[in-house]
Amino acid sequence: MREDRPSETAAIVAVMRGLAPWLPEGGQLAEDPYGLRFARPWMRPLLKLPRRMLLSRGMLARLALWMQLRTRALDDYVKAFRGQVVLLGAGFDCRALRLPGKVFFEVDHPATQRRKRAVVGTPEGVQFVSWNFESQPMSELPAKLASLGHVAARPTLTIWEGVTPFLSEAAIAASVAAVRVWSSPGSQLAFTYIERRAQTPFQQALVALVGEPWRFGWHPDELPAWMAAHGMKLLSDESDAELAARLLPPSLAARLRLPGRHVALAEPA
Ligand SMILES: C[S@@+](CC[C@H](N)C(=O)[O-])C[C@H]1O[C@@H](n2cnc3c(N)ncnc32)[C@H](O)[C@@H]1O
């Protein structure tokens, strides 16, 4: 991503989450009253159009539905978890505000985090850590978290949502190694990924246009072994279609058509 600018994709997914109330009935799986606050100036003309119409069909509808699925699946993990939460690549994720009552550590790129804090301030129970996953040593992140009150001896849920496509494989491996260090028994890593084969040239071009090209994606068949080789045990891996079948009414599940997206859960091996 661009060094000096907040993440555009973080703004896009936050706004998509914020548009949930305008999705067709049955599509609202996770409320995010903060999402639209992160709209960038270039989105405003689009947001002035009738929102129900905007989200009835087409690419935006699919994206908004996928955001509901992944947000809800991860929200459920947060709600079920007793312990601290680390948001790795937090972006404009407002779970600390939406699901209060836990200690949150939000780790993100400095420019993105500055914008987040300018919009929502410092919510109670949140510690912010500015970190570039590509250029700063991930091996030093556990100590940084500890200096801010993270207790590695207690279980941690790490949420890594919408981040893996944007990192190099080296940064992915270093991130998982760091998660391993701060994850005592009972900890979990919940993450999303987009299969490499589903990263179409059209979608690639769109993310490259905003300066955040996709760089990585597992194949679901290789994920368990990859995780095992990095000290983690894969507990579950749900595809877009499986999540849609579980959480959406059939009429909306049929509209998703955004294949190759996954929400997965792992624990220290
Ligand atoms: C698509 S956004 C997802 C944000 C958030 N997790 C969510 O789902 O709303 C990708 C996030 O990854 C972060 N990111 C990408 N590359 C990064 C890097 N090299 N170092 C730190 N953060 C990075 C961006 O700042 C951004 O917040």
Side-chain angles (χ1 to χ4, degrees), residues 1 7 9-10 13 17 70 89-91 93 108-109 112 131-134 161-163 166-167:
M1 59 177 290
S7 165
T9 59
V13 296
R17 270 195 295 263
R70 91 178 197 196
D93 171 340
D108 204 355
H109 190 279
T112 309
W131 209 269
N132 188 322
F133 306 141
E134 297 286 351
E161 179 182 12
V163 184
F166 300 99
L167 299 182

Short mmCIF file of all heavy atoms in Angstrom, two decimals, residues 1 7 9-10 13 17 70 89-91 93 108-109 112 131-134 161-163 166-167, ligand 1:
data_model
loop_
_atom_site.label_atom_id
_atom_site.label_comp_id
_atom_site.label_asym_id
_atom_site.label_seq_id
_atom_site.Cartn_x
_atom_site.Cartn_y
_atom_site.Cartn_z
N MET A 1 0.83 -1.19 0.00
CA MET A 1 0.00 0.00 0.00
C MET A 1 0.87 1.25 0.00
O MET A 1 2.06 1.18 0.27
CB MET A 1 -0.97 0.00 1.17
CG MET A 1 -0.33 -0.08 2.55
SD MET A 1 -1.57 0.02 3.86
CE MET A 1 -2.10 1.73 3.73
N SER A 7 -5.19 3.53 3.94
CA SER A 7 -5.63 2.48 3.02
C SER A 7 -6.99 2.82 2.40
O SER A 7 -7.96 3.09 3.11
CB SER A 7 -5.73 1.16 3.79
OG SER A 7 -6.46 0.22 3.06
N THR A 9 -8.58 0.60 0.49
CA THR A 9 -9.42 -0.60 0.58
C THR A 9 -10.07 -0.70 1.97
O THR A 9 -11.17 -1.21 2.11
CB THR A 9 -8.63 -1.88 0.27
OG1 THR A 9 -7.54 -1.99 1.19
CG2 THR A 9 -8.11 -1.89 -1.16
N ALA A 10 -9.38 -0.16 2.99
CA ALA A 10 -9.97 -0.15 4.34
C ALA A 10 -11.23 0.72 4.33
O ALA A 10 -12.25 0.39 4.95
CB ALA A 10 -8.97 0.34 5.36
N VAL A 13 -14.10 -1.19 2.40
CA VAL A 13 -14.81 -2.25 3.15
C VAL A 13 -15.61 -1.66 4.32
O VAL A 13 -16.70 -2.15 4.64
CB VAL A 13 -13.87 -3.39 3.62
CG1 VAL A 13 -13.28 -4.13 2.43
CG2 VAL A 13 -12.77 -2.92 4.55
N ARG A 17 -19.62 -2.12 4.77
CA ARG A 17 -20.27 -2.59 6.01
C ARG A 17 -21.36 -1.62 6.45
O ARG A 17 -22.43 -2.02 6.88
CB ARG A 17 -19.24 -2.73 7.13
CG ARG A 17 -18.59 -4.08 7.21
CD ARG A 17 -17.88 -4.27 8.55
NE ARG A 17 -16.77 -3.36 8.68
CZ ARG A 17 -15.51 -3.70 8.41
NH1 ARG A 17 -15.20 -4.91 8.01
NH2 ARG A 17 -14.54 -2.82 8.55
N ARG A 70 -18.55 -12.01 6.06
CA ARG A 70 -17.26 -12.15 6.76
C ARG A 70 -17.30 -11.42 8.10
O ARG A 70 -16.75 -11.91 9.09
CB ARG A 70 -16.11 -11.72 5.85
CG ARG A 70 -15.69 -10.27 5.90
CD ARG A 70 -14.51 -9.99 4.99
NE ARG A 70 -13.88 -8.73 5.35
CZ ARG A 70 -13.04 -8.07 4.58
NH1 ARG A 70 -12.69 -8.54 3.40
NH2 ARG A 70 -12.49 -6.94 5.00
N GLY A 89 -3.98 -5.50 11.31
CA GLY A 89 -4.45 -4.82 10.09
C GLY A 89 -5.87 -4.33 10.33
O GLY A 89 -6.78 -4.58 9.55
N ALA A 90 -6.04 -3.61 11.46
CA ALA A 90 -7.40 -3.26 11.93
C ALA A 90 -8.17 -2.39 10.95
O ALA A 90 -9.38 -2.51 10.84
CB ALA A 90 -7.30 -2.55 13.27
N GLY A 91 -7.46 -1.52 10.24
CA GLY A 91 -8.16 -0.62 9.32
C GLY A 91 -9.23 0.16 10.07
O GLY A 91 -9.02 0.65 11.18
N ASP A 93 -12.06 -1.12 11.09
CA ASP A 93 -12.87 -2.10 11.82
C ASP A 93 -13.24 -1.47 13.16
O ASP A 93 -12.36 -1.08 13.93
CB ASP A 93 -12.02 -3.36 12.02
CG ASP A 93 -12.65 -4.39 12.95
OD1 ASP A 93 -13.55 -4.03 13.74
OD2 ASP A 93 -12.22 -5.55 12.89
N ASP A 108 -1.97 -1.55 12.97
CA ASP A 108 -2.17 -1.22 11.55
C ASP A 108 -1.08 -0.29 11.05
O ASP A 108 -0.29 0.26 11.83
CB ASP A 108 -3.55 -0.58 11.34
CG ASP A 108 -4.06 -0.76 9.92
OD1 ASP A 108 -3.32 -1.30 9.07
OD2 ASP A 108 -5.21 -0.36 9.65
N HIS A 109 -1.09 -0.16 9.77
CA HIS A 109 -0.20 0.76 9.07
C HIS A 109 -0.37 2.17 9.65
O HIS A 109 -1.50 2.61 9.89
CB HIS A 109 -0.61 0.73 7.59
CG HIS A 109 0.35 1.43 6.70
ND1 HIS A 109 0.35 2.80 6.55
CD2 HIS A 109 1.32 0.95 5.92
CE1 HIS A 109 1.30 3.11 5.71
NE2 HIS A 109 1.91 2.02 5.31
N THR A 112 -3.00 4.62 7.98
CA THR A 112 -4.40 4.18 8.13
C THR A 112 -4.86 4.42 9.58
O THR A 112 -5.96 4.91 9.83
CB THR A 112 -4.54 2.67 7.80
OG1 THR A 112 -3.93 2.43 6.53
CG2 THR A 112 -5.99 2.25 7.75
N TRP A 131 2.20 -0.13 12.91
CA TRP A 131 3.21 -1.11 12.49
C TRP A 131 3.07 -1.38 11.01
O TRP A 131 1.95 -1.57 10.51
CB TRP A 131 3.00 -2.42 13.25
CG TRP A 131 4.26 -3.21 13.44
CD1 TRP A 131 4.76 -4.16 12.62
CD2 TRP A 131 5.17 -3.09 14.54
NE1 TRP A 131 5.94 -4.66 13.14
CE2 TRP A 131 6.22 -4.01 14.31
CE3 TRP A 131 5.21 -2.29 15.69
CZ2 TRP A 131 7.29 -4.16 15.20
CZ3 TRP A 131 6.27 -2.44 16.56
CH2 TRP A 131 7.29 -3.36 16.31
N ASN A 132 4.18 -1.35 10.31
CA ASN A 132 4.16 -1.76 8.91
C ASN A 132 4.62 -3.21 8.82
O ASN A 132 5.77 -3.52 9.14
CB ASN A 132 5.06 -0.83 8.08
CG ASN A 132 4.91 -1.11 6.60
OD1 ASN A 132 4.76 -2.26 6.16
ND2 ASN A 132 4.93 -0.06 5.80
N PHE A 133 3.73 -4.09 8.38
CA PHE A 133 4.03 -5.53 8.39
C PHE A 133 5.13 -5.91 7.40
O PHE A 133 5.69 -7.00 7.49
CB PHE A 133 2.77 -6.34 8.04
CG PHE A 133 1.59 -6.03 8.92
CD1 PHE A 133 0.31 -5.98 8.38
CD2 PHE A 133 1.74 -5.80 10.27
CE1 PHE A 133 -0.79 -5.68 9.18
CE2 PHE A 133 0.66 -5.50 11.10
CZ PHE A 133 -0.61 -5.45 10.53
N GLU A 134 5.38 -5.05 6.44
CA GLU A 134 6.41 -5.37 5.44
C GLU A 134 7.78 -4.81 5.83
O GLU A 134 8.80 -5.44 5.58
CB GLU A 134 6.03 -4.79 4.06
CG GLU A 134 4.76 -5.36 3.46
CD GLU A 134 4.92 -6.79 2.91
OE1 GLU A 134 6.06 -7.30 2.82
OE2 GLU A 134 3.88 -7.38 2.57
N GLU A 161 -8.47 -9.71 9.29
CA GLU A 161 -9.60 -9.64 8.33
C GLU A 161 -9.23 -8.77 7.13
O GLU A 161 -8.88 -7.59 7.29
CB GLU A 161 -10.82 -9.04 9.04
CG GLU A 161 -12.03 -8.92 8.11
CD GLU A 161 -13.24 -8.28 8.77
OE1 GLU A 161 -13.11 -7.73 9.89
OE2 GLU A 161 -14.32 -8.32 8.16
N GLY A 162 -9.31 -9.34 5.97
CA GLY A 162 -9.11 -8.56 4.74
C GLY A 162 -7.68 -8.10 4.55
O GLY A 162 -7.44 -7.12 3.82
N VAL A 163 -6.72 -8.76 5.15
CA VAL A 163 -5.34 -8.29 5.10
C VAL A 163 -4.44 -9.20 4.27
O VAL A 163 -3.58 -8.71 3.51
CB VAL A 163 -4.75 -8.15 6.54
CG1 VAL A 163 -3.35 -7.55 6.49
CG2 VAL A 163 -5.65 -7.28 7.41
N PHE A 166 -3.05 -8.59 0.65
CA PHE A 166 -2.22 -7.42 0.37
C PHE A 166 -0.76 -7.58 0.78
O PHE A 166 0.05 -6.69 0.55
CB PHE A 166 -2.81 -6.19 1.09
CG PHE A 166 -4.21 -5.89 0.66
CD1 PHE A 166 -5.30 -6.29 1.41
CD2 PHE A 166 -4.45 -5.23 -0.54
CE1 PHE A 166 -6.60 -6.05 1.00
CE2 PHE A 166 -5.74 -4.98 -0.97
CZ PHE A 166 -6.82 -5.38 -0.20
N LEU A 167 -0.43 -8.71 1.40
CA LEU A 167 0.93 -8.87 1.92
C LEU A 167 1.75 -9.84 1.06
O LEU A 167 1.20 -10.70 0.37
CB LEU A 167 0.86 -9.41 3.35
CG LEU A 167 0.13 -8.53 4.38
CD1 LEU A 167 0.19 -9.18 5.76
CD2 LEU A 167 0.69 -7.12 4.43
C1 LIG B 1 -8.89 -4.17 3.21
S1 LIG B 1 -8.23 -3.38 4.61
C2 LIG B 1 -8.99 -4.33 5.90
C3 LIG B 1 -9.14 -3.54 7.16
C4 LIG B 1 -9.95 -4.21 8.28
N1 LIG B 1 -9.30 -5.37 8.81
C5 LIG B 1 -11.34 -4.52 7.84
O1 LIG B 1 -11.62 -5.66 7.48
O2 LIG B 1 -12.15 -3.60 7.84
C6 LIG B 1 -6.54 -3.88 4.64
C7 LIG B 1 -5.79 -3.38 5.86
O3 LIG B 1 -4.45 -3.91 5.83
C8 LIG B 1 -3.57 -2.88 6.23
N2 LIG B 1 -2.26 -3.13 5.61
C9 LIG B 1 -2.00 -3.47 4.33
N3 LIG B 1 -0.66 -3.57 4.15
C10 LIG B 1 -0.10 -3.29 5.36
C11 LIG B 1 1.24 -3.23 5.83
N4 LIG B 1 2.26 -3.47 5.03
N5 LIG B 1 1.44 -2.92 7.13
C12 LIG B 1 0.40 -2.66 7.96
N6 LIG B 1 -0.89 -2.71 7.57
C13 LIG B 1 -1.13 -3.01 6.29
C14 LIG B 1 -4.18 -1.60 5.71
O4 LIG B 1 -3.71 -0.46 6.41
C15 LIG B 1 -5.66 -1.87 5.93
O5 LIG B 1 -6.08 -1.41 7.17
#
